Amino acid sequence: MPVRRGHVAPQNTFLGIIIKKFEGQNKKFIIANARVQNCAIIYCNDGFCEMTGFSRADVMQRPCTCDFLHGEFTNRHAIAQVAQALMGSEERKVEITYHRKDGSDFLCNTHIIPVKNEEGMVMMFILNFDYILEEDSRPFNQIKSSLLGSTSDSHLNRYSTINKIPLITLNFSEANNDKKCPSPASSEKTIIAPKVKDRTHNVTDKVTQVLSLGADVLPEYKLQTPRMDKLTILHYSPFKAVWDWLILLLVIYTAIFTPYSAAFLLNDLEEQKRRECGYSCSPLNVVDLMVDIMFIVDILINFRTTYVNLNEEVVSHPAKIAIHYFKGWFLIDMVAAIPFDLLIFGSGSDETTTLIGLLKTARLLRLVRVARKLDRYSEYGAAVLMLLMCIFALIAHWLACIWYAIGNVEKPYLEHKIGWLDNLGVSIGKRYNYSDPSSGPSIKDKYVTALYFTFSSLTSVGFGNVSPNTNSEKIFSICVMLIGSLMYASIFGNVSAIIQRLYSGTARYHLQMLRVKEFIRFHQIPNPLRQRLEEYFQHAWNYTNGIDMNMVLKGFPECLQADICLHLNASLLQGCKAFQGATKGCLRALAMRFKTTHSPPGDTLVHCGDVLTALYFLSRGSIEILKDDIVVAILGKNDIFGEMIHLYAKPGKANADVRALSYCDLHTIHREEILEVLDMYPEFADYFLSNLELTFNLRDESATFPLLAQHLPLGYLPSSKCLQV
């Protein structure tokens, strides 16, 4: 399968960064769009809801002046200060008393923070709310320093630069400041943020301090690709691909020459010459040193190479990359890169020579790295067959080196010269003269004969012209024949079965991908839409591993399907207030009708003008709702959008676009199906309809439809509040 690149397209990250930072610090805040009427609230976090007692559905689309929090103890001068701050372009702190939903009052410090684009125009307001405690009398400079973990304002100056991160793509329209939008009855003015032209910095120091954001996460309003450190290398970049092939060639060289050098060369006359003239006399030693240096450089490169995490996000932070590498392949790479022969060079003893030969085999650990990269080429049958043949030959090469090492170690201690090396010398006319170390067969003769013996033993041919004579040689030959029978049966006898069994998923992937490409070619789909189709298919395949969940469910009886669906939708049915009054049978009926959809970033879920045929429950990710390319709401986990389907006889039309900001999981249920369940369980209908709270109502109220009458459950009479249009 192709290398996973992760989601690296330009995307909305500003809101995600703000929300993550604030949630981690237990803050209470709201975000308002400065380019819409009355600076409507488009997001509020759970801390704000707990602080005020209002649900997110109660707060969304309200003016950010927070009129719904005003009460008898709210000071008029403080209200005017908040309104003035929202009409300006500078941040301000206002001490004000608000009232919760239950009527209780609380004193808080409201920090109004305007966030501007690169042109200096205010695009958003962030309002942060902090309880004021009696003992909290520290000066503001000390508080703002503590937000960043510093006691000096000098440490905060570095946070005033904003061009640090890839941020927002919110399509705010350029509102005309001269036009006045009609204000609702509860507000005196329509707040439209003015355009500031003489501003030198888009975000001030106090914004940075309040957000507690480091230099790498400061907000900037423009579309750009994710920024990374200059020394960071993308894991799918051309340089990394070329480097991986180079390391692969070096690993293959290591797998071949390291056992050969340890067995044939270290105990030869060349070893004595190397000791006399130095380490650099042998070209092979120089090559080994260069290979070790390249492996060390590869370790450093791995410390700067991005990776894809479990959320399919490209991680480019150096510290996270280092931690990921330490937990993974660092130890194996480090041991394989240590130049043992150079570290203990010059000792000159036979024991040291044997030790060098054993330690050099540690380089073979690099083969583990090769194995993890071979799966991307596994869909090619010819490549798999060639790979199996190469593995067979490599194992035969290793066994040949061991076969020679056994004969060479035993040769001086044999009373009767019956070892295979002595027999080889007799058969080719190059007898060993133990008074002359240079006598006997050459290295070429010994290696070719050893390789010939291992190949004939592994393939169970065994001509017998090279045969084991000593006990050690016979034991080794038995092991070779056992290994050969296993390899012969598992590789050569079942090549087709191995390919079909191990790579059936890959074959299905390429078959489906071929169908997608044929569909694109036949219908001549243009390139932007073509790229979206291919990326969505690849992500959906990685997400589900090519399994059609609906087809899997259809293979089970209906009672088991209901139990499975109940488990798959358990978090929704248990977490949503509207479903808490349902019986187990009702929950099973609902679970059977829910459909789960997965959407990538940038995918439009609902277009303006689409017929609202379903109710949407967001279980993962975040989405934005846009009217005329203006963001009017940001929805997150456990939010509900659609229309109050029980109030109308016919489905309405959407008044806005709904677009995914990140990878989203949505549970959808069609209006006919939920009305069918309400009709089957009338005792649940009243509870559901009175407790269903839409975070955002997508219905276009300008189009009038008759209210729902005939589709309501028998005996259910909705309250007057529910019937209001």
Side-chain angles (χ1 to χ4, degrees), residues 93-108:
K93 277 194 172 184
V94 179
E95 186 175 311
I96 188 171
T97 300
Y98 283 131
H99 291 72
R100 299 183 179 88
K101 190 174 183 179
D102 59 5
S104 60
D105 61 279
F106 62 94
L107 183 63
C108 72

Side-chain angles (χ1 to χ4, degrees), residues 12 56 92 136 186 195 201 259 263 287 294 349 354 360 386 396 426 455 480 524 611 613 634 649 687 694 717 722:
N12 295 341
R56 187 174 297 174
R92 180 180 298 184
D136 190 5
S186 60
K195 184 172 182 178
H201 294 286
V287 174
M294 295 294 285
S349 62
T354 305
K360 288 184 71 173
M386 183 64 65
V426 172
F455 262 109
V480 171
Q524 298 181 354
V611 178
T613 59
I634 302 292
Y687 182 89
L694 294 182
L717 183 60
C722 294

Side-chain angles (χ1 to χ4, degrees), residues 558-719:
E558 187 173 349
C559 59
L560 189 54
Q561 289 185 36
D563 292 336
I564 296 173
C565 293
L566 191 62
H567 168 73
L568 296 177
N569 298 279
S571 59
L572 168 65
L573 298 176
Q574 295 173 5
C576 184
K577 182 181 177 182
F579 299 117
Q580 292 178 359
T583 62
K584 189 174 182 179
C586 181
L587 291 177
R588 289 163 62 89
L590 287 169
M592 287 284 290
R593 288 161 174 80
F594 270 109
K595 305 297 181 185
T596 302
T597 58
H598 183 74
S599 300
D603 192 15
T604 302
L605 308 176
V606 179
H607 291 83
C608 184
D610 286 353
V611 178
L612 299 173
T613 59
L615 202 58
Y616 300 87
F617 299 82
L618 187 59
S619 61
R620 184 175 75 97
S622 58
I623 62 173
E624 61 180 350
I625 299 178
L626 305 99
K627 289 184 179 180
D628 300 326
D629 289 334
I630 298 177
V631 177
V632 296
I634 302 292
L635 306 186
K637 183 179 179 181
N638 297 328
D639 283 336
I640 309 171
F641 62 95
E643 68 168 347
M644 302 298 285
I645 58 177
H646 59 285
L647 297 182
Y648 305 94
K650 295 183 179 179
K653 295 182 179 180
N655 58 7
D657 295 325
V658 180
R659 187 167 59 195
L661 289 174
S662 61
Y663 287 105
C664 299
D665 288 333
L666 295 115
H667 298 274
T668 61
I669 184 170
H670 286 276
R671 57 177 286 126
E672 293 82 4
E673 294 180 337
I674 194 169
L675 290 174
E676 180 184 357
V677 174
L678 295 179
D679 188 47
M680 291 190 298
Y681 297 91
E683 69 280 2
F684 166 69
D686 183 61
Y687 182 89
F688 173 78
L689 300 178
S690 59
N691 288 276
L692 178 63
E693 292 184 351
L694 294 182
T695 309
F696 193 90
N697 192 346
L698 284 175
R699 187 180 180 88
D700 187 2
E701 299 295 349
S702 61
T704 59
F705 294 93
L707 292 177
L708 179 61
Q710 64 273 22
H711 289 279
L712 287 177
L714 185 62
Y716 171 71
L717 183 60
S719 61

Side-chain angles (χ1 to χ4, degrees), residues 384-539:
V384 173
L385 183 59
M386 183 64 65
L387 176 64
L388 295 176
M389 295 289 294
C390 292
I391 292 175
F392 185 84
L394 183 62
I395 293 177
H397 167 74
W398 291 348
L399 294 175
C401 295
I402 299 174
W403 172 248
Y404 169 76
I406 292 174
N408 189 60
V409 170
E410 281 190 322
K411 182 165 60 69
Y413 305 102
L414 293 175
E415 182 178 355
H416 303 286
K417 306 305 179 183
I418 59 173
W420 76 271
L421 286 175
D422 293 290
N423 292 337
L424 175 65
V426 172
S427 62
I428 65 175
K430 297 180 180 180
R431 296 175 179 271
Y432 279 98
N433 184 1
Y434 289 92
S435 60
D436 183 10
S438 61
S439 63
S442 64
I443 292 180
K444 181 188 299 183
D445 295 332
K446 291 183 285 189
Y447 174 72
V448 172
T449 304
L451 190 63
Y452 166 78
F453 169 76
T454 54
F455 262 109
S456 61
S457 299
L458 287 174
T459 55
S460 301
V461 176
F463 291 104
N465 51 352
V466 179
S467 59
N469 297 318
T470 66
N471 291 334
S472 300
E473 293 173 355
K474 291 177 181 178
I475 293 173
F476 177 75
S477 299
I478 294 173
C479 295
V480 171
M481 285 185 282
L482 289 175
I483 296 173
S485 61
L486 178 63
M487 294 180 61
Y488 192 88
S490 61
I491 296 179
F492 292 99
N494 300 285
V495 169
S496 59
I498 291 174
I499 295 176
Q500 292 177 2
R501 183 172 65 254
L502 296 181
Y503 309 110
S504 58
T506 304
R508 288 191 297 109
Y509 168 81
H510 284 278
L511 179 61
Q512 295 295 333
M513 191 64 183
L514 180 62
R515 292 176 179 175
V516 172
K517 291 182 178 180
E518 287 295 328
F519 176 83
I520 293 173
R521 182 191 61 80
F522 182 79
H523 293 283
Q524 298 181 354
I525 297 177
N527 189 37
L529 187 56
R530 169 183 179 176
Q531 185 177 3
R532 285 180 58 192
L533 283 174
E534 293 179 350
E535 288 182 354
Y536 177 79
F537 173 77
Q538 292 181 3
H539 174 76

Side-chain angles (χ1 to χ4, degrees), residues 26-79:
N26 196 24
K27 292 184 178 294
K28 301 102 178 157
F29 71 99
I30 60 175
I31 300 177
N33 190 345
R35 312 309 301 166
V36 299
Q37 181 178 348
N38 292 315
C39 293
I41 298 172
I42 63 173
Y43 182 82
C44 69
N45 73 331
D46 294 335
F48 178 82
C49 295
E50 295 175 1
M51 182 184 197
T52 61
F54 287 90
S55 66
R56 187 174 297 174
D58 297 330
V59 176
M60 297 295 283
Q61 298 301 298
R62 295 284 192 94
C64 68
T65 51
C66 298
D67 299 342
F68 55 93
L69 298 179
H70 295 172
E72 57 178 335
F73 297 111
T74 306
N75 186 278
R76 284 184 168 273
H77 179 66
I79 296 175

